[in-house]
Amino acid sequence: MSDYTEQDKKHDIHILHSMGYAQELERRMSSFSNFAISFSIICILSGGINSLGQATSGAGGAAIGLGWPLGCLISGLFALGLAQIGSAYPTAGGLYHWGSILGNRFTGWLAAWLNLLGLVTVLGAINVGTFYFFFGAFGSYIGLEDTLTHRVVFVALITGLQALINHFGIGLTAKLTDFSGYLIFATAILLTVVCLISAPSYEIGRLFTFANYTGTEGASLVWPTAVSGTMAFLLGLLLPIYTITGYDASAHTSEETVKAAHSVPKGMVSSVIWSALFGYIMLCSFVLMIPNMDDAAKQGWNVFFWAMDAQVNPTMKEILYFLIFVSQFLCGLATVTSLSRMIFAFSRDKGLPGSAALSKVSPKYRTPVAAIWTGSILAVLFVWFTSAITIAGTPAYSIVVSCTVIFLFLSFALPIALGFVAIGTPKWSKMGPWSMGIGGYRLVSVLVIVSMAVIFYIGIQPPNDWALPITVGFLVLTAIVWLAFENKRFKGPPIGEEVARRQAQIAAAEKAVGEVA
């Protein structure tokens, strides 16, 4: 970061001070590191592989050939909207701050809780996915079993290690996420080449051939209810939409990124573009390698291991499995970073119980230590409790995870929709240096609202029909909590004269962590 001058640093800190916050975290992340953390959380080697059954047991090859780019486009619209706001307001916990400043205290508080709930459950889901990948790849070597105890202990161990690495500073975490970015690129290319070499033939047409396997033998493990062909294709969009998320990490690490007003929006958008492109090439090559699409549909969630066992050299297969496992672990590592910064930022404005402790930054490591461990523990507890409980014969874990992306995308859509009204007004009078123009932003925000409706619609279809009452119930509960308690207590982020009154507090906070002006 030799091009990061003292003047650049002063400019970054000035922007942060103008929003009423101290430079407590350490700016050690380059523009590439900011890209890499979002790229690592998106991780096409995690969601793209662990959720493949949603496509192959639904609409078949067309779910990849046509569905993947469409789903990536839908998710990418949200990234564009958030990038525009992030360039104007580059602060940790961005969604919470944006929801407040573009709307009001309530919309900021709601965005924070939606995002926080989504991030906790996403971290749990990522590491559960890593457990099942490790179980399928290496479980037989060490006697690993698919039991509640083995699953929870495994998740607790890797989540604890991810938290420990984050504890020791953003410098180490950034190095590992940088490495993760390169590793994902290299492994995706290697997997693509191996799939193409191992393919029995190149039936390009199968990538654009529609099928409907829902409710059939084997495929019913993924989609138990038979639906129309159109709905099977729509359900397949959950694969790219669920995979291409997490780019809000670029915003959450704004206060640790150099030239944040430029780097954050670029990190968001470029992470989506490269993930979409490399994911598409990789998954298309995998579909071409599959011996038979009808047999693939019968494998349900196990389709990746089934195809690899059938087509790929055993030694090469083990090498790929190891590289994919490391990538998935680093995906969880980056998610801990994102979650902890969200908790830190929300607590900084007293939005959570125990905010005084959760908002503290370690002077030694310059990390929000309490927030890191709290978020990690909550994710493990979420996996433990929901895996042990069933609702109407379905594990509560599966039901809650189906709501996760709905909550996340709602937290994305809320500030974007508020920005449609606020842009060009005193609430948002000046766009950041990364700009698509007011007209471009308003077009994107309208498309985001339409896309949110699509995501919500397909996200509550069977077998995820429990997602509707859970989402509605959560929104009702938040309204009750807000009206009964938080409306009187929660003041939101500093705005107007409050920013000026905080200057002495800002100076004291920076002195406490050793930040030199």
Side-chain angles (χ1 to χ4, degrees), residues 333-421:
L333 171 74
T335 307
V336 170
T337 309
S338 183
L339 169 59
S340 62
R341 274 47 175 186
M342 173 61 214
I343 293 174
F344 160 76
F346 196 26
S347 299
R348 185 167 54 182
D349 291 323
K350 299 178 174 56
L352 289 171
S355 286
L358 292 173
S359 61
K360 282 189 176 179
V361 173
S362 165
K364 182 176 181 180
Y365 300 114
R366 300 289 295 272
T367 56
V369 171
I372 289 168
W373 288 101
T374 299
S376 300
I377 291 168
L378 286 174
V380 174
L381 291 176
F382 156 70
V383 172
W384 184 8
F385 290 146
T386 56
S387 296
I389 299 170
T390 57
I391 301 175
T394 303
Y397 170 80
S398 301
I399 294 172
V400 176
V401 165
S402 68
C403 302
T404 294
V405 175
I406 291 178
F407 289 143
L408 269 181
F409 276 95
L410 279 173
S411 75
F412 296 170
L414 183 57
I416 293 172
L418 292 169
F420 177 86
V421 178

Side-chain angles (χ1 to χ4, degrees), residues 115-467:
N115 194 234
L116 184 58
L117 182 60
L119 286 171
V120 168
T121 51
V122 158
L123 175 58
I126 286 170
N127 285 342
V128 167
T130 303
F131 164 78
Y132 278 111
F133 182 84
F134 187 89
F135 173 75
F138 308 113
S140 60
Y141 299 150
I142 61 173
L144 191 66
E145 298 177 1
D146 184 14
T147 64
L148 176 62
T149 300
H150 282 202
R151 184 163 62 252
V152 172
V153 169
F154 182 95
V155 168
L157 287 173
I158 64 170
T159 307
L161 182 55
Q162 291 159 350
L164 190 64
I165 294 169
N166 270 276
H167 182 123
F168 288 127
I170 193 62
L172 175 60
T173 303
K175 286 186 176 85
L176 287 172
T177 50
D178 285 357
F179 169 73
S180 173
Y182 292 118
L183 179 64
I184 291 170
F185 277 125
T187 305
I189 292 170
L190 179 59
L191 179 58
T192 298
V193 172
V194 169
C195 287
L196 292 176
I197 292 173
S198 305
S201 63
Y202 298 130
E203 298 178 41
I204 302 298
R206 69 166 52 173
L207 292 168
F208 310 103
T209 300
F210 288 87
N212 184 0
Y213 296 110
T214 58
T216 61
E217 178 190 356
S220 60
L221 296 173
V222 180
W223 304 118
T225 305
V227 298
S228 68
T230 300
M231 181 54 67
F233 179 75
L234 290 175
L235 290 172
L237 293 178
L238 293 176
L239 168 62
I241 290 172
Y242 280 22
T243 301
I244 309 295
T245 187
Y247 37 79
D248 55 322
S250 288
H252 292 315
T253 53
S254 294
E255 293 175 28
E256 294 155 283
T257 301
V258 302
K259 301 180 183 179
H262 296 270
S263 301
V264 167
K266 289 179 181 177
M268 284 187 184
V269 175
S270 58
S271 66
V272 171
I273 291 173
W274 287 110
S275 295
L277 177 61
F278 274 72
Y280 187 59
I281 295 170
M282 180 186 78
L283 293 177
C284 284
S285 67
F286 178 82
V287 171
L288 294 177
M289 183 188 73
I290 291 174
N292 181 282
M293 289 303 298
D294 292 340
D295 291 337
K298 296 176 183 178
Q299 308 308 312
W301 295 113
N302 196 49
V303 64
F304 180 76
F305 293 112
W306 167 79
M308 295 291 283
D309 288 343
Q311 300 296 112
V312 177
N313 172 274
T315 301
M316 178 55 67
K317 181 180 67 175
E318 297 296 321
I319 292 172
L320 281 166
Y321 285 173
F322 174 74
L323 296 174
I324 293 169
F325 168 69
V326 173
S327 298
Q328 292 187 3
F329 172 81
L330 294 174
C331 171
L333 171 74
T335 307
V336 170
T337 309
S338 183
L339 169 59
S340 62
R341 274 47 175 186
M342 173 61 214
I343 293 174
F344 160 76
F346 196 26
S347 299
R348 185 167 54 182
D349 291 323
K350 299 178 174 56
L352 289 171
S355 286
L358 292 173
S359 61
K360 282 189 176 179
V361 173
S362 165
K364 182 176 181 180
Y365 300 114
R366 300 289 295 272
T367 56
V369 171
I372 289 168
W373 288 101
T374 299
S376 300
I377 291 168
L378 286 174
V380 174
L381 291 176
F382 156 70
V383 172
W384 184 8
F385 290 146
T386 56
S387 296
I389 299 170
T390 57
I391 301 175
T394 303
Y397 170 80
S398 301
I399 294 172
V400 176
V401 165
S402 68
C403 302
T404 294
V405 175
I406 291 178
F407 289 143
L408 269 181
F409 276 95
L410 279 173
S411 75
F412 296 170
L414 183 57
I416 293 172
L418 292 169
F420 177 86
V421 178
I423 196 167
T425 72
K427 282 190 174 183
W428 188 5
S429 59
K430 183 180 178 182
M431 302 184 82
W434 188 93
S435 176
M436 66 179 82
I438 292 178
Y441 175 80
R442 283 188 166 150
L443 174 61
V444 166
S445 61
V446 170
L447 294 174
V448 161
I449 294 169
V450 173
S451 298
M452 185 67 245
V454 172
I455 292 171
F456 187 79
Y457 174 70
I458 60 178
I460 62 174
Q461 300 304 308
N464 299 327
D465 38 338
W466 274 95

